[in-house]
Amino acid sequence: FEYCSNLKTITFPKSLKYIGSCAFCSIDVTHLSIPDSVVSICESAFCDCTELKSIIIPNSVRDLGSFCFGNCRQLSDVFLSPEIKIINKWLFSRCYNLSKITIPEGVTAIHDNAFEECTNLTNITLPETLKTIGYGAFYKCSKLSEINIPNNVSDIGWYAFKDCKSLKSINIPDGIKEIGCGTFSDCE
């Protein structure tokens, strides 16, 4: 269904287990409700769905591939499954309308550029289970004003919070072992 720009509504069967790479890339759907039977959504499955506003990812989903919702510019409401353990690369990059998100307990890593250029992101809740924040994970999240890094985080990647122009408060816990090059550069 990739590039089926006239596709506005998707009704998924209750038997669906996997949504493949680029399966619904660049369609004009506005809301998605993934059925409870789905366990994995592969890379770029819904990327470039520029009209997508909300998505509910059920508790059955354990894996979200890289760039799965990348460049979904209107996306503002996301409910993540508590079964997800990793926030993959570019998962929500360039989701300009995303203003808040809660990363569920159990997530141990936010990979590179996961929230890159989410320019309206003002509020993110990070779980205590988080251990690693990747390269450029929150790069150019220009409205993010506060970040509380959980106690279990040991590594913050290069440029993780670069160009977060509104960042006023950062809580860095005692257990941090590495803060990468330019992690907080250009945060005015």
Side-chain angles (χ1 to χ4, degrees):
F1 299 100
E2 184 177 13
Y3 301 111
C4 291
S5 60
N6 290 328
L7 187 59
K8 307 286 185 215
T9 305
I10 302 170
T11 303
F12 295 107
K14 294 185 188 311
S15 60
L16 186 64
K17 296 264 185 222
Y18 303 96
I19 298 174
S21 297
C22 300
F24 297 97
C25 182
S26 296
I27 62 170
D28 284 343
V29 67
T30 57
H31 303 282
L32 284 173
S33 185
I34 307 295
D36 288 338
S37 56
V38 174
V39 296
S40 181
I41 303 173
C42 295
E43 65 185 50
S44 303
F46 295 98
C47 72
D48 297 319
C49 291
T50 56
E51 300 302 315
L52 183 62
K53 294 179 180 166
S54 68
I55 180 137
I56 298 170
I57 300 167
N59 294 350
S60 59
V61 175
R62 295 186 303 261
D63 299 306
L64 291 172
S66 298
F67 204 62
C68 194
F69 301 102
N71 211 26
C72 292
R73 297 170 183 205
Q74 299 300 318
L75 188 61
S76 59
D77 295 316
V78 177
F79 299 95
L80 290 173
S81 164
E83 296 302 313
I84 294 168
K85 304 301 179 213
I86 293 171
I87 303 297
N88 268 315
K89 293 179 180 183
W90 302 290
L91 187 60
F92 294 105
S93 69
R94 292 185 217 97
C95 291
Y96 301 128
N97 277 351
L98 190 63
S99 62
K100 65 180 178 0
I101 192 163
T102 298
I103 307 297
E105 285 298 326
V107 169
T108 59
I110 297 174
H111 284 185
D112 300 350
N113 308 93
F115 295 94
E116 172 187 75
E117 292 187 54
C118 290
T119 53
N120 281 307
L121 188 64
T122 58
N123 187 327
I124 186 155
T125 303
L126 301 175
E128 284 301 318
T129 53
L130 190 64
K131 295 178 182 175
T132 304
I133 298 173
Y135 176 99
F138 298 96
Y139 172 65
K140 285 194 175 180
C141 290
S142 55
K143 291 188 179 174
L144 189 62
S145 62
E146 179 180 346
I147 191 78
N148 289 310
I149 299 169
N151 290 327
N152 289 324
V153 173
S154 61
D155 300 301
I156 303 174
W158 288 30
Y159 307 111
F161 296 95
K162 182 180 181 356
D163 282 326
C164 291
K165 304 276 186 205
S166 299
L167 201 55
K168 306 273 188 265
S169 176
I170 305 162
N171 175 33
I172 301 173
D174 291 337
I176 291 286
K177 293 182 176 121
E178 182 177 341
I179 295 176
C181 176
T183 297
F184 297 102
S185 64
D186 299 318
C187 288
E188 297 185 2

